Amino acid sequence: GAGGTLKVVGSSDVDHLDSSSVYTTWGNLLARQFARTLFGFAASNEFDEAVKVRPDVAAEIPTVQNGGLSQDGRTYTIKLRGGVLWNTSPPREVTAADFVRGIKRVCNPAKPSGGKAYYSETITGMADFCTGYAKVDPKSAPAMASYQDETKVSGLVAKDAKTLVVRLKQPASDFTNILALEFSAAAPQEYDRYIPDSPEFRRHTISNGPYQITAYSPNKQYILDKNPNWKAQSDPTRAQNPDRIQVTMGQDSPDVVQQQLEQGSADLSWDQPVPTSRIPGLKSDPNFKIMDGSASNPYLVLNTLSPNNGGALGKKEVRQAINYAVDKTALVQIYGGPDVSEVLNQVIPPRSVGHQPFDLYPTPGNAGDPNKCRQLLAQAGYPNGLSLRFPYRVSSNHPKVAQSVQANLKSCGITANLTPDTNGTFYNTTLVTPADAKAGKWDLAGPGWVPDWYGNNGRTNIVPLFDGRQYGPNSTDYGGYDDPAVNALVDQALKAKDAGTAAGFWARADRLIMQDAAVVPLMNQKYPIFHSPRVKNARYLPQYQAFDLGQVRLS
């Protein structure tokens, strides 16, 4: 039945609690409970159903037929549904101006969104707005608020309380997907009082979704209770079944989390995977499923800006050598074998637009070729190998991946010095601070990439990771890769009128990126997921690799 406390257990706090910059899957899952977007997704265990864009606060999907989209594909007129309320006192309606504010906040100078390019590259006037915003004092909430509220974005207009008009620089067949990202959630006027995502902000989140954060201890716990102002009839994609959602952090062992789920002392995992060793024994368990995915997760990124080893990683031949070194088959085994993960030898994974299989660095059985690696290193002028700094995440399978890759590199004369990321700063500091990349504080790392949406998603598979024009603080092009030919293909794909035309350009970009060996793709993970026996109505959100919290019914 409805009610009860849903217990979610895991390791790390969110990267950002502010929807304008949140980027981890579990951060997005949390934001979904209290920060609504114009468009969104309904959880479903059918992949194709779960990835369909649906109206959320918008009343309908804009089309040329219903007048929501102009003939040239560049103007969206988005009508908001009524009855969507903030949990303020007194409650008030969410307006078009709240969405304008939410979208403008993606390029605030304090915690700019890693996804701000989605907006600055599409919305008329947004790039200029963001350039100006970057110059505002990031330590002054009043300075940020006054710039944001007084500086117009020509392509972002609240025509009236319930009508948002968005004008684009060029057609973008994926624009409703972009507006479905948590980054573009509505933001209430109260958020102008705080530095984005600051400790003060985190203590004062405001909800227009089914749940509100009623207690928060950083790195320890979130308590979410029902938002009394939320109405099911004004929300087509969410539910409010549990009375309370309790998220407990600080549990770094996936095995302990799994044990708690099997015993029923916890219901869902927060950020920990099902332990690989348990997968064979769970295959017939009704509480266990393996969900489809389309991701490059994890992959190895090479810091092309590192001055270490005389700037070796800036050389394509050295990066190509490293591509030959890695035993991908062994890494797939760490994740539970081919049922759970498939070897990936390119940037665009299966089930994403532009996927055309190829392999530029073939090795026998995908198990690596240390001799080929040594030979290329010697040709590049490094007969005595290299010494690389390799920070790694301590959660999940990441330590095993780091050790496996370290051994592969050793076989071809490369010493990888591993440093554990015990403070949870991997994604919010270590990899996203350009000064550190240029100072050679790291050379090699193993982040993961789950596209922000599926289907027509070249903008989220290629642009954030490889468009060098977006490099800067908080960019997910961690290694500073920048190639004008790739950037030109990106431009052609983005303005293509339809997904089919775009696919050809994305496929060509994939090949160039792999010729440059910007990264070492490792695998496309499917997603094993487990819930406690008392969880009913578990519905999956592929973007978040999780069951939708509010849909769960507890028996």
Side-chain angles (χ1 to χ4, degrees), residues 35 40 46 57 118 148 183 192 310 350-351 362 379 383 404 423 425 473 524 541 548:
E46 296 300 318
V57 179
Y118 296 142
Q148 192 176 278
F183 299 136
D192 283 356
R351 285 184 290 279
Q379 281 171 16
S404 187
N423 303 322
T425 55
N524 171 33
L541 291 160
D548 195 3

Side-chain angles (χ1 to χ4, degrees), residues 213-233:
I213 297 172
T214 49
Y216 170 45
S217 308
N219 304 305
K220 292 196 179 80
Q221 193 179 59
Y222 289 97
I223 301 284
L224 288 90
D225 289 303
K226 288 183 173 184
N227 171 9
N229 296 340
W230 179 85
K231 298 178 182 65
Q233 65 270 26

Side-chain angles (χ1 to χ4, degrees), residues 105-112 133-139 144 147 196:
R105 291 177 85 251
V106 300
C107 52
N108 77 76
K111 286 287 179 198
Y133 208 169
K135 297 172 186 150
V136 175
D137 181 1
K139 294 189 170 65
M144 281 186 274
Y147 175 84

Side-chain angles (χ1 to χ4, degrees), residues 191-211:
Y191 284 1
D192 283 356
R193 299 173 191 167
Y194 313 110
I195 292 171
D197 203 40
S198 61
E200 295 71 31
F201 174 94
R202 290 184 176 211
R203 286 196 296 272
H204 296 97
T205 53
I206 290 177
S207 174
N208 59 5
Y211 292 90

Side-chain angles (χ1 to χ4, degrees), residues 37-39 55-62 78-81 99 236:
T37 44
L38 289 160
F39 305 101
D56 183 354
V57 179
E60 61 186 353
I61 301 284
I78 302 165
K79 293 282 184 197
L80 274 54
R81 70 178 74 236
F99 281 101

Side-chain angles (χ1 to χ4, degrees), residues 20-58:
S20 67
S21 50
V22 63
Y23 226 148
T24 54
T25 48
W26 60 97
N28 273 292
L29 183 69
L30 183 66
R32 175 182 170 85
Q33 311 313 312
F34 68 87
R36 289 179 59 182
T37 44
L38 289 160
F39 305 101
F41 302 95
S44 167
N45 296 331
E46 296 300 318
F47 189 87
D48 292 342
E49 278 302 300
V51 303
K52 269 186 198 152
V53 181
R54 300 168 194 274
D56 183 354
V57 179

